[in-house]
């Protein structure tokens, strides 16, 4: 049976569960070809990476509100309140900036994912839906950043 095309939308694929990591073989026993083959297998197993992952993450975090804080990090953050959520978001944002300035690309990717996760937790806590943010981005699309900023109301205290 032929494999489905790689462009298949991620929403059509079943969610994958994390498997426990198998003990690693000694480095010398694993050939480069075997390593590349395993990497290709892992990439094929992963759902297609699209921005829809943010909407799915939002749904998961939302579903954790009010659940057992001993088994869900999202539930624990939400239970601790907005100040703690904002603090965690700030910490992750600073870590992201540090990796960007240091030129650590892989760490920047990882920290960026942490920032997005904590931003979504903050949205859930504040009752902000992703669609509201996407609509604001759509409203701004095609507008110069300079023109958009100039159109904002002036803060008389600034």
């Amino acid at each position: 049976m032929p494999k489905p095309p790689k462009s298949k939308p991620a929403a059509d694929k079943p969610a994958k569960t994390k498997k426990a990591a198998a003990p690693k073989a000694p480095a010398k026993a694993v050939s480069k070809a075997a390593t590349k083959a395993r990497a290709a297998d892992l990439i094929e197993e992963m759902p297609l990476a699209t921005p829809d992952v943010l909407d799915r993450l939002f749904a998961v975090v939302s579903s954790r509100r009010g659940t057992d804080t001993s088994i869900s990090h999202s539930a624990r953050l939400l239970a601790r309140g907005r100040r703690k959520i904002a603090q965690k978001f700030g910490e992750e944002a600073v870590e992201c900036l540090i990796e960007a300035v240091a030129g650590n690309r892989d760490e920047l990717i990882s920290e960026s994912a942490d920032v997005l996760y904590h931003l979504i937790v903050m949205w859930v806590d504040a009752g902000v839906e992703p669609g509201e943010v996407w609509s604001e981005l759509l409203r701004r699309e095609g507008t110069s950043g300079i023109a958009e900023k100039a159109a904002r109301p002036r803060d008389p205290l600034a």
Side-chain angles (χ1 to χ4, degrees):
M1 178 173 208
K3 289 185 179 181
K6 293 206 180 220
S7 63
K8 183 177 179 182
D12 295 342
K13 293 186 179 184
K16 300 286 183 182
T17 57
K18 290 187 177 182
K19 297 178 184 177
K24 292 184 179 180
K28 293 180 182 178
V30 180
S31 70
K32 285 185 181 180
T35 301
K36 285 183 180 180
R38 180 64 186 136
D41 288 344
L42 288 173
I43 290 170
E44 192 169 306
E45 290 174 11
M46 291 173 51
L48 185 62
T50 66
D52 295 341
V53 71
L54 296 174
D55 290 321
R56 292 191 304 273
L57 179 58
F58 182 87
V60 169
V61 172
S62 294
S63 75
R64 299 301 196 259
R65 184 192 290 274
T67 61
D68 188 350
T69 59
S70 68
I71 59 172
S72 169
H73 181 64
S74 296
R76 187 176 309 132
L77 278 171
L78 290 164
R80 292 182 77 186
R82 190 163 298 164
R83 285 184 180 213
K84 186 61 176 180
I85 294 166
Q87 176 188 350
K88 289 298 294 176
F89 174 76
E91 289 170 5
E92 296 301 339
V94 168
E95 290 171 9
C96 189
L97 294 169
I98 290 168
E99 298 305 343
V101 170
N104 297 327
R105 186 178 186 283
D106 291 342
E107 290 82 1
L108 175 58
I109 291 168
S110 178
E111 293 300 337
S112 295
D114 290 347
V115 167
L116 290 171
Y117 165 75
H118 286 89
L119 177 61
I120 286 173
V121 173
M122 196 166 13
W123 289 352
V124 168
D125 182 68
V128 173
E129 293 286 328
E132 294 173 288
V133 178
W134 310 157
S135 292
E136 177 61 13
L137 289 171
L138 183 61
R139 185 188 69 76
R140 295 180 185 187
E141 190 173 4
T143 303
S144 157
I146 294 170
E148 191 278 330
K149 190 168 183 177
R152 292 181 189 172
R154 297 270 181 215
D155 181 355
L157 301 176

